[in-house]
Amino acid sequence: MTDREIWIKASAILAEHGEMTAEYIIDQLGDVLANDVAVQDWRRVAVAIDAITGADTRGSN
């Protein structure tokens, strides 16, 4: 996926799933674990969602 496609997908997922977005991504990852490219795409989507929501991806509390 291109960077643009990642951001569009991340925005659409957030709009559709809201607070349940993390669960949705986990379900999708379970379906693609054997496909390295798909896993990397979903990782990038998750990072984009974190950026959109302002989440701190460094793990600090």
Side-chain angles (χ1 to χ4, degrees):
M1 294 175 124
T2 66
D3 287 343
R4 183 176 187 277
E5 291 170 326
I6 291 293
W7 283 89
I8 290 170
K9 185 171 198 81
S11 297
I13 290 169
L14 271 171
E16 184 174 343
H17 298 281
E19 291 183 16
M20 300 301 290
T21 296
E23 289 82 1
Y24 175 78
I25 290 175
I26 290 168
D27 287 344
Q28 295 304 308
L29 283 173
D31 293 341
V32 299
L33 284 177
N35 182 334
D36 289 338
V37 172
V39 169
Q40 289 304 315
D41 284 344
W42 278 104
R43 182 192 61 79
R44 291 171 59 209
V45 168
V47 168
I49 288 170
D50 282 345
I52 291 167
T53 61
D56 184 355
T57 58
R58 294 171 295 190
S60 62
N61 291 326

